[in-house]
């Protein structure tokens, strides 16, 4: 049977009798007996197609709310509520719900499923299925003193990761002696078991030291020989390309002798994976000096390779499209807990509705196709490569946020209450509206200037080993700066799942295109047939009073009111402006003038101010490197500007203590101090260093003869272009005689 | 035209007495026999067939003066809708058998609740009572409530002239910016009757008893606005019972009756 549809013609005719109702499945504990309560505003007795008898106990339906994630990737809850008048026996004064609440077995209301359904008289005549308007889990209820109960139901994501559920940190699995035995080092027990997506490698960057870390998990006897096992992943990986011991490539002659690795000579097992007590791993075994160095940390074992593939045993196709990786992560590692064997299936909402899944799989494929349409270059789609758990645990909602940011898409809950994703450019137009459709609004909304962003700094290629730094850059939309007479730096776009230059560039450019104009939001109210327009889709509005002709908007929020049979939409104006979306590359930390991250030295006392990049996960420093052409001076990422009031500090000089290093002694690093009060000019150059560990030097800047206020910035260049080594610098500064 | 009939809430001898059903079968367990006697006309007892028999065992011989069938789907003029009483649970030739006259439905499909006056029958005190639909209805049977009252009470004095009745259909109207607009019908009616009774002190006592028996606005009872018209309402009091002492032994009582929800007619 077809699912019923609500149309404009029905509404205009006024003949449609709308009958929404609530279904609440109260499941007892421990027996599990289910009592299905069906409540409507007005009682009616249907045939079983539409759920039999509904009792007229709904005092109000509340609002059914769905919204897309916000600009920062935060998922907004999809929820609904309703108020029920208890069926009170006028003689006994006891209500059925009140009795259920006080009964030992039926008092468990939390996390029970509630649905809202509706059908009209046209649908009944056609024997259609009722439309399910919302599904959710009871996350709160409260009884008022007048035998009325107020329920709130949330989407399953909020329900599973709500304050009632423990905070889920990912990866879920941790290294344990259950799987690895007593030789698992104490320090490694409880560490997250990594999940590796995509191709993680530093070979194309010319570094070739291994981008995938390993964790020592203890000893194993193989053919009467004791080997030391190192885990690269808590699942099967597709393949490895190279292995390294302390950044030195392990030669082919050592495989089968001192190293056993899947896919390499001497691997003694039929499968590329190892199953240990119900869990699947990718392990590599070492012995001799290789093992000693890796265990002691003097020569860590790293690798380059490919992670999760489509089957679960290493034989399938590498999953390297970011949205498909996101989907795979959600199914196997966030909403479920993969252990071993084949990958898990999309979870269903409940056994009562086995065809309704919790995740809209097709939407992730659509986002993948949207990326293809963007023609990013490279492999032709958004290529992702990341390791979940390499840098510790991440809270589940943060993982979802990262997925949305890296896919450059919005997330939310569709009309089946399944989690779905959607892009701006991939959304389709579903309806044209005019004055005959709009009950209220549009509420005029001025552009929100806080949402303007015409400099988009972005970072990708996040390092998982100490041998590689992240890359960074920024996109600047000059036309936006000119049009709005303001240069606004957006928050850093952290593309932690991306290790591909063209993918990062495409992502940043689409963010730039979206933020080049401030956001315009509006609200309209339409009749019930608006509920069929999917969240994230586009509508076109023609209004004479606004001089709008098929003006395009995207639906970012839907609120259905069953008390008034209206749908309130929050819509975002998608109409193109004359502001060109063309961007240019600017340094990651490009600023004009004194920004909020600069500071002023106080010469009345000797002040030391730190200005340097964030520490790397390994505990070192100077994380953000650059690779300028020799002779080209570039700003050091993350370094802040330093303002000196020379007139307030007579007789003082400025001493910049600079720590610089290079990735390769063949390419020297040369730090410099620039005066950026006006156009950037070199104030003082430092000495070239070929040290691969941070080496200190002092760059002295004498007080200028004319004094005044000056702003200084740390720059760096390379001594040669011999190879692809990056250079790093950090700096402190003080005034002293 | 005749004086109104009314029942006290406590007059309904079938309240909470679940019948047996020797003829007929339920459409599903969600439309149980208890819905016939739960004082909620909108909750239905739906059957799978077009004929039926319900039997109530009162345990002791019980007098019934009149009865009504509420929120049904019986065809207009359907014969064989019989209310019967007998000393034993045997219905071949019951001692009492009287036929309901089923009125025509309203234009919107809602049925009129027929009332059956048994006071013209001398012996009407039996242990077993039964409602049977022995002639096939055009559709599977559905009932909201079966009520039967031990005493036929005629409102004396009757409600005064200038009684007001009101009918309202719940509709959500939605005008648009263009001035056009549609609406959604919620499919329910609500009827009200507001009136006054001019009565003596003695007559006022019964009025007050009637009100208190219904626990004010809490409980339902039956009301036939015109005793000559085959149309019974199931109502509650809709406001406090207001009394105005107009003179010695003269009282003006205002009251409002609000029809209990009949639910939506989904046929």
């Amino acid at each position: 049977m077809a699912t019923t549809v609500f149309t404009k013609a029905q509404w205009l005719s006024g003949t449609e009798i709308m009958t929404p109702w609530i279904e609440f499945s109260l499941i007892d504990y421990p027996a599990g007996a289910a009592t299905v309560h069906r409540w409507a505003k007005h009682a009616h007795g249907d045939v079983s197609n539409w759920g039999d008898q509904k009792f007229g106990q709904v005092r109000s339906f509340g609002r059914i709310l769905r919204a897309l994630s916000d600009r920062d990737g935060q998922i907004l809850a999809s929820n609904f509520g309703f108020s029920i008048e208890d069926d009170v026996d006028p003689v006994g004064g006891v209500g059925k719900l009140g009795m259920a609440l006080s009964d030992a077995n039926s008092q468990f209301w939390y996390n029970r499923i509630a649905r809202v359904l509706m059908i009209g008289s046209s649908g009944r005549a056609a024997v259609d299925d009722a439309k399910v308007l919302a599904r959710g889990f009871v996350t709160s209820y409260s009884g008022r003193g007048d035998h009325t109960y107020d329920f709130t139901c949330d989407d399953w994501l909020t329900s599973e990761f709500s304050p009632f559920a423990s905070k889920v940190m990912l990866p879920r699995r941790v290294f344990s002696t259950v799987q690895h035995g007593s030789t698992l080092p104490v320090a490694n027990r409880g560490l997250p078991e990594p999940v590796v997506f995509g191709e993680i490698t530093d070979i194309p960057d010319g570094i070739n030291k291994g981008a995938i870390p390993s964790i020592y998990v203890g000893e194993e006897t193989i053919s009467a020989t004791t080997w030391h096992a190192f885990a690269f992943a808590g699942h099967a990986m597709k393949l490895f390309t190279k292995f390294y011991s302390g950044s030195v490539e392990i030669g082919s002659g050592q495989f089968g002798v001192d190293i056993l690795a899947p896919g390499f000579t001497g691997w003694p097992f039929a499968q590329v994976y190892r199953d240990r007590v119900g869990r699947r791993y990718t392990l590599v075994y070492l012995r001799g000096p290789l093992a000693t160095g890796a265990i002691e940390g003097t020569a860590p074992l790293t690798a380059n390779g490919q992670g999760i593939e489509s089957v679960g045993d290493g034989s399938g196709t590498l999953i390297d499209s970011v949205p498909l990786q996101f989907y795979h992560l959600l199914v196997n590692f966030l909403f479920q807990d993969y252990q071993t064997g084949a990958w898990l299936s999309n979870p269903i909402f409940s056994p009562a509705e086995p065809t309704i899944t919790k995740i809209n799989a097709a939407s992730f494929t659509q986002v993948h196709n949207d990326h293809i349409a963007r023609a990013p270059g490279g492999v032709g789609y958004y290529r992702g490569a990341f390791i979940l758990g390499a840098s510790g645990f991440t809270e589940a909602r943060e993982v979802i946020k990262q997925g949305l940011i890296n896919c450059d898409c919005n997330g939310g809950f569709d009309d089946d209450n399944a989690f779905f994703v959607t892009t701006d450019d991939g959304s389709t137009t579903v309806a044209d509206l005019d004055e005959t459709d709009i009950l209220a609004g549009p509420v005029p909304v001025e552009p929100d200037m806080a949402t303007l962003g015409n400099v988009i700094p972005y970072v990708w290629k996040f390092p998982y080993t100490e041998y590689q730094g992240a890359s960074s850059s920024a996109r600047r939309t000059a036309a936006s700066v000119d049009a709005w007479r303001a240069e606004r730096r957006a928050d850093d776009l952290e593309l932690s799942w991306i290790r591909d230059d063209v993918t990062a560039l495409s992502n940043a450019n689409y963010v730039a295109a979206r933020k080049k104009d401030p956001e315009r939001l509006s609200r309209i109210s339409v009749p019930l047939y608006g509920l069929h327009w999917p969240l994230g889709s586009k509508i076109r509005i023609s209004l004479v009073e606004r001089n709008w002709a098929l003006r395009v908007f995207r639906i970012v929020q839907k609120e259905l009111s069953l008390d008034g049979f209206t749908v309130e939409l929050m819509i975002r104006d998608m109409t193109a402006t004359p502001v060109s979306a063309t961007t240019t590359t600017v340094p990651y930390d490009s600023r004009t003038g004194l920004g909020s991250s600069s500071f002023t030295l106080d010469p009345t006392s000797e002040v030391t101010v730190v200005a340097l990049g964030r520490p790397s996960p390994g505990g070192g420093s100077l994380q953000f490197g650059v690779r300028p052409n020799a002779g080209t001076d570039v700003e050091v990422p993350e370094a802040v500007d330093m303002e000196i009031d020379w007139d307030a500090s007579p007789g003082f000089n400025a001493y910049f203590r600079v720590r610089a290093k290079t990735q390769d002694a063949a390419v020297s690093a040369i730090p410099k101090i620039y005066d950026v009060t006006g156009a950037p000019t070199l104030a003082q150059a430092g000495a070239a260093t070929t040290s691969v560990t941070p080496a200190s030097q002092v760059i002295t800047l004498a007080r200028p003869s004319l004094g005044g206020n000056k702003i200084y910035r740390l720059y760096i260049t390379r001594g040669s272009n011999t190879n692809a080594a990056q250079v790093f610098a950090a700096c402190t500064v003080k005034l002293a005689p | 035209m005749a004086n109104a009939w009314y029942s006290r809430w406590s007059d309904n001898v079938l309240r909470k007495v679940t019948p047996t059903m020797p003829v007929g079968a339920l459409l599903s367990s969600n439309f149980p026999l208890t819905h016939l006697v739960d004082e909620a006309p909108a909750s239905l007892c739906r059957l799978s067939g077009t004929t039926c028999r319900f039997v109530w065992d009162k345990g002791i011989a019980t007098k019934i003066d009149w009865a009504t069938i509420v929120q049904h789907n019986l065809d207009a003029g359907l014969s064989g809708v019989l209310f019967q009483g007998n000393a034993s649970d045997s219905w071949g030739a019951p001692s009492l058998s009287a036929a309901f006259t089923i009125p025509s439905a309203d234009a919107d499909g809602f049925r009129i609740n027929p009332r059956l006056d048994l006071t013209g029958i001398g012996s009407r005190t039996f242990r077993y009572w039964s409602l049977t639909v022995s002639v096939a209805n055009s559709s599977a049977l559905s009932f909201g409530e079966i009520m039967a009252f031990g005493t036929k009470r005629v409102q004396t004095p009757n409600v005064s002239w200038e009684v007001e009745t009101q009918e309202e259909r719940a509709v959500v109207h939605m005008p648009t910016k263009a001035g056009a607009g549609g609406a959604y019908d919620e499919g329910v009616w609500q009827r009200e009757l507001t009136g006054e009774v001019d009565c003596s002190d003695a007559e006022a006592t019964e009025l007050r008893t009637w009100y208190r028996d219904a626990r004010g606005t809490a409980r339902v009872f039956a009301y036939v606005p015109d005793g000559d018209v085959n149309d019974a309402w199931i109502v509650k009091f809709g406001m406090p019972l207001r009394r105005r002492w107009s003179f010695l032994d003269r009282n003006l009582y205002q009251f409002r009756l609000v029809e209990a929800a009949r639910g939506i007619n989904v046929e």
Side-chain angles (χ1 to χ4, degrees):
Chain A
M1 284 182 287
T3 300
T4 195
V5 174
F6 310 107
T7 68
K8 184 174 180 178
Q10 292 167 356
W11 167 68
L12 285 173
S13 71
T15 60
E16 197 72 4
I17 298 176
M18 283 301 178
T19 53
W21 73 91
I22 308 283
E23 274 186 8
F24 174 47
S25 299
L26 182 57
I27 299 178
D28 287 356
Y29 177 83
T35 303
V36 179
H37 296 273
R38 293 185 179 87
W39 301 307
K41 215 169 190 180
H42 306 292
H44 54 284
D46 268 319
V47 296
S48 60
N49 289 22
W50 305 302
D52 289 345
Q53 177 75 47
K54 286 75 143 180
F55 296 95
Q57 294 172 239
V58 172
R59 179 176 282 191
S60 73
F61 277 100
R63 287 176 166 264
I64 299 173
L65 172 66
R66 291 194 182 89
L68 291 181
S69 54
D70 64 17
R71 287 180 151 224
D72 298 323
Q74 292 289 352
I75 290 291
L76 300 178
S78 165
N79 56 43
F80 60 96
F82 47 90
S83 296
I84 301 297
E85 291 180 1
D86 201 355
D87 178 17
V88 178
D89 184 337
V91 177
V94 181
K96 288 180 182 170
L97 285 181
M99 287 176 62
L101 192 56
S102 59
D103 180 85
N105 294 45
S106 61
Q107 62 178 306
F108 303 94
W109 291 11
Y110 286 115
N111 292 321
R112 267 55 180 178
I113 295 173
R115 302 194 305 166
V116 182
L117 302 95
M118 186 164 70
I119 194 167
S121 38
S122 295
R124 280 203 170 80
V127 198
D128 288 339
D129 285 339
K131 183 161 179 64
V132 178
L133 303 178
R135 295 177 179 83
F137 296 85
V138 174
T139 52
S140 78
Y141 70 92
S142 60
R144 306 184 212 167
D146 59 352
H147 294 288
T148 302
Y149 293 87
D150 299 318
F151 289 78
T152 299
C153 301
D154 286 322
D155 59 83
W156 56 267
L157 178 65
T158 304
S159 168
E160 291 187 22
F161 303 127
S162 75
F164 297 109
S166 56
K167 209 171 191 180
V168 173
M169 303 300 286
L170 298 180
R172 294 175 188 261
R173 285 169 35 180
V174 299
F175 288 106
S176 160
T177 56
V178 173
Q179 278 76 32
H180 305 290
S182 59
T183 58
L184 173 67
V186 173
N188 292 348
R189 298 174 192 179
L191 290 182
E193 295 184 348
V195 181
V196 181
F197 282 97
E199 182 167 21
I200 310 281
T201 177
D202 57 7
I203 296 174
D205 297 327
I207 299 174
N208 202 25
K209 295 182 190 300
I212 310 175
S214 65
I215 295 172
Y216 178 53
V217 294
E219 298 172 3
E220 182 175 336
T221 301
I222 303 172
S223 300
T225 301
T226 299
W227 291 83
H228 297 275
F230 292 80
F232 280 88
H235 56 79
M237 289 176 60
K238 181 161 175 66
L239 59 84
F240 290 100
T241 50
K242 292 192 180 184
F243 290 91
Y244 307 83
S245 171
S247 81
V248 176
E249 184 177 340
I250 297 176
S252 60
Q254 292 180 277
F255 288 91
V257 179
D258 289 335
I259 176 172
L260 301 176
F264 286 73
T265 301
W267 178 251
F269 306 108
Q271 305 294 341
V272 298
Y273 57 85
R274 303 286 289 140
D275 280 338
R276 287 185 166 187
V277 191
R279 288 188 181 178
R280 183 156 294 182
Y281 296 91
T282 295
L283 301 178
V284 171
Y285 300 89
L286 300 179
R287 65 177 179 178
L290 288 180
T292 304
I295 294 170
E296 292 178 353
T298 54
L301 176 66
T302 59
N304 288 316
Q306 298 180 356
I308 283 176
E309 38 68 54
S310 55
V311 177
D313 62 359
S315 68
T317 306
L318 179 69
I319 302 175
D320 70 340
S321 163
V322 181
L324 301 183
Q325 292 170 336
F326 189 14
Y327 173 74
H328 189 96
L329 187 158
L330 293 176
V331 172
N332 288 279
F333 300 103
L334 192 146
F335 299 128
Q336 301 178 107
D337 188 8
Y338 171 78
Q339 298 294 305
T340 188
W343 297 118
L344 302 174
S345 301
N346 194 348
I348 61 172
F349 189 84
S350 77
E353 293 186 283
T355 61
I356 304 296
T357 54
K358 286 186 173 179
I359 308 169
N360 182 332
S363 68
F364 289 80
T365 304
Q366 181 59 52
V367 170
H368 169 76
N369 292 334
D370 294 343
H371 291 162
I372 292 174
R374 292 182 179 185
V379 297
Y381 49 84
Y382 278 19
R383 195 161 70 148
F386 61 101
I387 303 177
L388 188 66
S391 305
F393 296 95
T394 308
E395 204 253 317
R397 282 185 171 270
E398 176 63 26
V399 171
I400 294 175
K401 176 183 166 184
Q402 289 176 3
L404 296 175
I405 289 173
N406 284 276
C407 290
D408 185 42
C409 66
N410 299 101
F413 290 88
D414 64 15
D415 289 343
D416 284 334
N417 266 91
F419 181 74
F420 82 113
V421 288
T422 174
T423 61
D424 263 359
D425 39 307
S427 56
T428 54
T429 301
V430 295
D432 290 340
L433 282 62
D434 61 19
E435 289 87 351
T436 64
D437 300 289
I438 298 176
L439 303 172
V443 175
V445 175
E446 300 309 315
D448 182 0
M449 291 302 291
T451 60
L452 177 67
N454 42 39
V455 176
I456 311 295
Y458 63 106
V459 183
W460 73 108
K461 287 189 188 175
F462 282 65
Y464 301 112
T465 69
E466 62 186 280
Y467 305 117
Q468 183 182 34
S471 293
S472 59
S473 186
R475 306 304 297 172
R476 185 173 186 272
T477 313
S480 170
V481 175
D482 290 343
W484 296 103
R485 306 271 175 102
E487 180 171 289
R488 295 286 174 89
R489 176 192 168 103
D491 289 340
D492 288 6
L493 183 60
E494 294 193 359
L495 302 174
S496 53
W497 293 8
I498 307 294
R499 302 179 70 81
D500 183 272
D501 294 348
V502 295
T503 300
L505 175 63
S506 176
N507 192 313
N509 270 335
Y510 271 80
V511 173
R514 196 160 51 247
K515 293 190 175 184
K516 68 179 175 66
D517 297 304
E519 194 170 53
R520 285 189 183 88
L521 293 177
S522 187
R523 283 184 181 272
I524 60 171
S525 183
V526 297
L528 264 186
Y529 52 89
L531 67 84
H532 292 297
W533 306 331
L535 190 65
S537 63
K538 294 192 182 96
I539 55 175
R540 300 188 301 185
I541 301 177
S542 301
L543 284 181
V544 171
E545 68 186 52
R546 298 288 181 91
N547 197 27
W548 289 355
L550 297 175
R551 194 173 181 95
V552 179
F553 293 85
R554 189 167 184 223
I555 299 172
V556 297
Q557 182 172 299
K558 276 169 56 173
E559 267 191 272
L560 172 60
S561 164
L562 292 178
D563 290 328
F565 296 125
T566 59
V567 180
E568 189 169 287
L569 303 175
M570 183 184 289
I571 52 179
R572 190 170 91 231
D573 194 343
M574 303 291 287
T575 304
T577 70
V579 177
S580 167
T582 302
T583 60
T584 54
T585 303
V586 294
Y588 175 75
D589 196 19
S590 169
R591 277 174 290 223
T592 58
L594 201 60
S596 60
S597 55
S598 61
F599 58 90
T600 302
L601 287 170
D602 180 359
T604 59
S605 60
E606 193 169 314
V607 175
T608 302
V609 182
V610 172
L612 77 170
R614 283 174 282 164
S616 66
S621 61
L622 313 183
Q623 180 181 6
F624 294 107
V626 289
R627 194 163 56 233
N629 286 327
T632 301
D633 300 343
V634 298
E635 301 172 20
V636 171
E638 292 289 290
V640 298
D641 288 350
M642 299 154 280
E643 183 182 19
I644 299 176
D645 182 356
W646 290 109
D647 292 335
S649 51
F652 279 60
N653 298 321
Y655 299 90
F656 296 88
R657 186 176 299 281
V658 177
R659 299 166 71 218
K661 74 169 187 177
T662 177
Q663 274 191 313
D664 191 315
V667 177
S668 62
I670 310 171
K672 299 182 180 182
I673 303 296
Y674 264 64
D675 179 347
V676 295
T677 313
T681 54
L682 178 64
Q684 187 69 45
T689 178
T690 57
S691 173
V692 296
T693 58
S696 289
Q697 58 178 279
V698 176
I699 302 175
T700 303
L701 203 60
R703 181 182 185 280
S705 57
L706 296 179
N709 267 41
K710 296 285 187 182
I711 303 170
Y712 298 95
R713 189 179 295 167
L714 181 64
Y715 275 59
I716 198 167
T717 188
R718 302 194 307 166
S720 74
N721 294 332
T722 301
N723 58 38
Q726 290 186 341
V727 292
F728 306 78
C731 169
T732 65
V733 60
K734 68 176 181 180
L735 295 179
Chain B
M1 181 164 186
N3 282 25
W5 304 0
Y6 68 97
S7 76
R8 294 183 187 172
W9 168 78
S10 56
D11 287 344
N12 181 11
V13 302
L14 299 184
R15 183 176 55 84
K16 304 296 189 191
V17 181
T18 304
T20 58
M21 186 171 59
V23 176
L26 296 177
L27 181 62
S28 87
S29 60
N30 290 317
F31 299 107
L33 292 171
T34 53
H35 283 183
L36 291 173
V37 291
D38 62 354
E39 301 182 281
S43 67
L44 303 178
C45 174
R46 295 189 67 163
L47 308 185
S48 57
T50 56
T51 60
C52 71
R53 176 179 290 280
F54 304 117
V55 178
W56 288 265
D57 179 0
K58 286 295 297 175
I60 57 172
T62 302
K63 176 169 75 81
I64 291 179
D65 274 2
W66 68 286
T68 181
I69 305 173
V70 186
Q71 191 61 356
H72 61 89
N73 68 340
L74 297 166
D75 299 331
L78 184 66
S79 62
V81 180
L82 306 173
F83 198 66
Q84 299 174 327
N86 207 28
S88 63
D89 185 8
S90 172
W91 304 100
S95 299
L96 183 153
S97 184
F100 276 95
T101 300
I102 309 301
S104 300
D106 281 336
D108 61 358
F110 274 91
R111 306 308 205 274
I112 308 290
N113 303 327
R115 52 95 180 109
L116 176 64
D117 188 351
L118 300 178
T119 55
I121 300 172
S123 173
R124 51 187 189 278
T125 302
F126 301 99
R127 173 178 170 178
Y128 295 92
W129 289 91
S130 174
L131 174 73
T132 178
V133 178
S134 57
V135 175
N137 196 42
S138 62
S139 58
L141 293 167
S142 172
F143 301 95
E145 200 79 5
I146 311 293
M147 302 172 85
F149 309 100
T151 302
K152 174 184 168 183
R153 301 180 192 272
V154 178
Q155 195 163 14
T156 308
N158 201 13
V159 60
S160 301
W161 284 109
E162 295 191 24
V163 65
E164 290 183 5
T165 62
Q166 175 176 295
E167 290 189 1
E168 184 175 11
R169 180 88 168 184
V171 176
V172 179
H173 292 278
M174 311 158 98
T176 68
K177 295 175 73 67
Y184 289 115
D185 181 358
E186 292 194 44
V188 293
W189 286 100
Q190 185 162 77
R191 294 187 290 184
E192 292 184 9
L193 181 149
T194 306
E196 275 189 353
V197 175
D198 183 353
C199 57
S200 66
D201 290 346
E203 290 162 343
T205 301
E206 169 55 23
L207 200 59
R208 287 196 299 273
T209 303
W210 177 28
Y211 186 78
R212 287 168 187 161
D213 182 76
R215 307 301 192 270
T217 60
R219 299 180 180 178
V220 298
F221 51 89
Y223 190 81
V224 180
D226 183 342
D228 282 344
V229 177
N230 187 15
D231 180 9
W233 296 17
I234 308 304
V235 296
K236 295 181 180 181
F237 283 107
M239 62 180 270
L241 190 65
R242 290 210 179 101
R243 175 197 188 187
R244 190 163 74 238
W245 253 310
S246 54
F247 199 61
L248 290 172
D249 198 30
R250 294 248 53 88
N251 305 276
L252 271 177
Y253 275 88
Q254 292 181 338
F255 69 98
R256 179 186 300 149
L257 303 177
V258 176
E259 187 172 29
R262 290 187 282 170
I264 302 171
N265 181 12
V266 296
E267 291 188 348

